[in-house]
Amino acid sequence: MTTLRLAIVGAGPAGIYAADILQKMERQFDLSIDLFDKLPAPYGLVRYGVAPDHPRIKGIINALREVLESGVMRVFGGVEFGKDITLDDLKQHYHAVIFSTGAIRDASLDIPGIDAHGSFGAADFVNWYDGHPDVPRTWPLEAREIAVIGNGNVALDVARMLAKHPKDLLSTEVPQNVVDGLEASPVTDVHVFGRRGPAQVKFTPLELRELGEIPDVDIIVDEDDFDRDPAAAELAKTNKQLMVIGRIMGKWRGERELTASRRLHLHFYSKPDAVLTEDGPDGERVRAIRIERTEPDAEGGVRGTGEFIEHPVQAVYRAIGYFGSPLPGVPFDEHHGVIPNHEGQVWDDDNQQVNGMYATGWIKRGPIGLIGHTKSDALETVTHLVADQGNWWTPADPSEASVVELLESRDVRFTDLEGWRRLDAHELALGEAAGRERIKVVDREEMTRISRGE
C-alpha cells in the first residue's frame, strides 16, 4: 500500500487537527506525518495566543496532546520554514504539504499618530504576556491611562491583562518576567473603544462576564451608548447571546458606587479618528486619542456624526484583528493576509491549483472564528488532499530518516515530541515548587536546551 509522506508547517491547533482528521479518515494509503514549527514547543495559538488567566481554554492542549501521542506523527520544533527547511526540500522528501502557520501580525490602522511612541499592536503585547520566546522580555508599561481599540475577544483580553492586578495572575502559568513588568505598571484607567453599538460587539458573553469579576477593578459604561438602535434592540430579543450580553451590561449601567483602585471603561459608538501626540525624549509620544461619535445608520451599520471627543491617554493598543505573513515560495494574498486557496487547495496568481500544496486555519481563511472552528476547516482541506492523490508530488527520497539527516547536516538544533515531554515536565516542576500549576520557560535557547536534554 502507498504511504503518504505529509509535511505540516505549523504545529498549532489547525495543523494538529488536520493530522488527526486525516489519520481517522477512510483512505487507500498509509500515513507518515511530520509537523514542523519554528518554535521549540508545539500548540501555537493555544500556548502563545490565549491569555494566561484562561486555563479552561488552554485545556484544549490536553486534547491536542492525545493527537501528538497517537504515534502517527513526528514533531520537529525549532525548524523555520524557508530557512532551515525550504519548499524545494519538502518536494524532495514529501508527497504534499499543508500550511497551518496562522496569523501573528497585527492588522494595520490608518489614522494619524498611530506610529507614535506608546502605540502598540495587540499581537505584540499578547506575545509578551504569553511568554513568546521571540519577543523582548520587558514591556513599556508606563501609562496611567490606556486606550484599547477594538471590540473583539482579543481587545478584552488585552484590556483585562492591563487592568488586572498581577497578584491575581499568580495562580496561572504567567511567566515571572510578565508579573514583574505588570507590578511596575502605574495604570489607573483602561478605555476600550468600539465604533459600533453594544449589540454589535464581537466578543463572547463569557469574555464580557469575566471583566466584572476582576478584583479591585470597576467597569464603567456610558448610558448614552445604550437604547440608540431600535433594530438592534429587536434583534436582541431573539438572539440568546445578545440577550446575555445585554443583561451583563445592564448590571453596569446607572448609578453605582465606584470604589476600586482601577477602572475599565467600555465606550461604544466611538470610532478612532487620530492618536494625538506631544514631543518626547524619543520623538512624538501618545498624549490622547480623538474619537468620532457614530450613530446607527438604519442599515445595520454606523455613520459618523461629526462630533469629536478627546480622551487623555499615554498608550494605545490596537486590537482590530490579526494578519497572516507570507511564506517563501508560497503564493500569498497581500490584501487579505492569506494563502490564496479554494477550500484549502492552494491557488497560484492565475487561479490555478498548485499541486501538492494545501492550507488550513487562519492562513487559509483569515483570523476569524474560535479555535474549535479549525476542525471543520481542516476536514475540508484534508478531504481535497485525499482526493488529489494523482496530483501529489513525486519525492526523490521520501524516507523518514532523510529529513532528520537533512536537518542535522544543516546543524539545526530541532526538538521532538520527547523533547516537548521534557520541557512540559520541567515547566510543571517549576510551577509545583512555587505553588502554581506551571511556570512557562520563556527563553528560546533554554527551551531548546531542556527539550534536547543538554
Side-chain angles (χ1 to χ4, degrees):
M1 183 179 287
T2 301
T3 296
L4 166 63
R5 286 281 290 134
L6 174 67
I8 298 179
V9 179
I16 295 175
Y17 284 144
D20 186 40
I21 291 170
L22 182 57
Q23 69 170 316
K24 294 175 179 176
M25 287 183 72
E26 188 172 324
R27 45 190 162 73
Q28 302 301 314
F29 51 83
D30 289 330
L31 273 178
S32 173
I33 304 175
D34 290 341
L35 278 78
F36 296 92
D37 202 289
K38 68 177 183 178
L39 297 176
Y43 306 135
L45 178 66
V46 184
R47 181 172 168 93
Y48 292 114
V50 177
D53 58 349
H54 277 175
R56 64 187 173 281
I57 297 179
K58 287 183 177 289
I60 294 172
I61 284 181
N62 294 330
L64 298 177
R65 180 184 289 113
E66 291 182 9
V67 178
L68 292 186
E69 298 284 356
S70 65
V72 177
M73 65 203 73
R74 299 184 297 180
V75 176
F76 292 87
V79 179
E80 184 175 349
F81 176 78
K83 175 185 175 185
D84 301 315
I85 194 165
T86 67
L87 184 60
D88 285 339
D89 294 329
L90 297 185
K91 291 179 178 179
Q92 287 291 312
H93 301 290
Y94 297 92
H95 295 96
V97 58
I98 297 176
F99 294 103
S100 57
T101 50
I104 60 172
R105 290 187 293 167
D106 284 287
S108 60
L109 179 62
D110 186 18
I111 60 174
I114 195 64
D115 295 324
H117 288 280
S119 177
F120 309 101
D124 293 333
F125 183 58
V126 171
N127 283 332
W128 175 73
Y129 68 57
D130 267 332
H132 195 291
D134 295 337
V135 301
R137 299 285 82 81
T138 59
W139 189 268
L141 291 163
E142 304 161 347
R144 298 181 311 279
E145 300 152 307
I146 301 173
V148 178
I149 302 171
N151 259 176
N153 283 343
V154 174
L156 291 197
D157 279 351
V158 167
R160 192 179 65 254
M161 289 295 293
L162 287 166
K164 203 166 191 174
H165 291 278
K167 63 183 177 64
D168 296 317
L169 291 168
L170 292 180
S171 62
T172 75
E173 62 179 38
V174 62
Q176 188 58 47
N177 66 293
V178 176
V179 174
D180 294 341
L182 292 172
E183 285 283 6
S185 172
V187 65
T188 59
D189 293 83
V190 177
H191 300 263
V192 181
F193 296 96
R195 65 185 181 85
R196 304 181 73 182
Q200 285 93 29
V201 294
K202 298 297 184 181
F203 42 73
T204 60
L206 182 60
E207 291 273 353
L208 185 64
R209 184 181 292 113
E210 287 180 342
L211 290 186
E213 299 170 354
I214 309 174
D216 194 33
V217 176
D218 282 325
I219 309 299
I220 299 175
V221 297
D222 187 345
E223 189 64 24
D224 289 342
D225 287 341
F226 295 86
D227 304 324
R228 299 180 60 190
D229 190 342
E234 285 300 312
L235 178 62
K237 293 179 181 178
T238 58
N239 185 299
K240 184 177 181 180
Q241 179 164 303
L242 291 179
M243 290 174 62
V244 175
I245 288 175
R247 284 199 297 268
I248 296 170
M249 291 191 185
K251 297 178 181 178
W252 300 330
R253 295 170 61 179
E255 295 289 334
R256 290 184 300 121
E257 185 178 5
L258 304 177
T259 59
S261 66
R262 294 179 176 179
R263 291 159 294 280
L264 203 161
H265 309 254
L266 299 179
H267 303 270
F268 304 102
Y269 296 114
S270 298
K271 177 185 177 182
D273 177 70
V275 175
L276 307 181
T277 63
E278 62 186 4
D279 289 336
D282 301 319
E284 294 294 298
R285 292 193 56 84
V286 174
R287 70 167 178 84
I289 185 168
R290 184 173 67 216
I291 64 101
E292 180 182 11
R293 291 288 284 168
T294 62
E295 63 184 6
D297 63 4
E299 297 179 357
V302 294
R303 62 192 171 212
T305 65
E307 177 188 357
F308 294 89
I309 302 173
E310 292 184 14
H311 296 268
V313 296
Q314 299 83 50
V316 173
Y317 292 74
R318 68 182 189 278
I320 57 173
Y322 290 142
F323 201 77
S325 300
L327 298 165
V330 181
F332 189 70
D333 182 339
E334 293 283 356
H335 180 68
H336 296 99
V338 299
I339 295 174
N341 69 91
H342 173 70
E343 297 181 348
Q345 298 169 310
V346 175
W347 284 12
D348 61 19
D349 293 338
D350 297 321
N351 289 333
Q352 298 295 315
Q353 181 181 348
V354 181
N355 289 346
M357 294 169 59
Y358 301 85
T360 190
W362 280 3
I363 198 64
K364 167 189 173 182
R365 70 180 190 273
I368 54 174
L370 302 176
I371 291 174
H373 293 167
T374 57
K375 287 185 177 180
S376 58
D377 195 44
L379 174 60
E380 180 180 68
T381 295
V382 299
T383 298
H384 280 295
L385 170 64
V386 171
D388 287 345
Q389 185 169 352
N391 294 325
W392 293 349
W393 297 326
T394 305
D397 184 358
S399 67
E400 292 186 348
S402 66
V403 178
V404 176
E405 293 169 358
L406 174 67
L407 294 174
E408 289 180 341
S409 72
R410 294 175 177 172
D411 296 322
V412 180
R413 297 177 64 240
F414 61 88
T415 62
D416 56 17
L417 187 54
E418 181 59 35
W420 162 242
R421 296 188 189 106
R422 292 192 194 99
L423 179 60
D424 185 39
H426 181 84
E427 292 182 341
L428 292 171
L430 290 177
E432 183 178 7
R436 297 163 58 184
E437 181 179 352
R438 174 192 300 268
I439 295 179
K440 193 181 292 182
V441 175
V442 178
D443 181 75
R444 174 185 277 269
E445 179 58 33
E446 184 181 1
M447 292 174 68
T448 302
R449 190 170 59 251
I450 293 168
S451 296
R452 291 172 62 91
E454 297 173 349

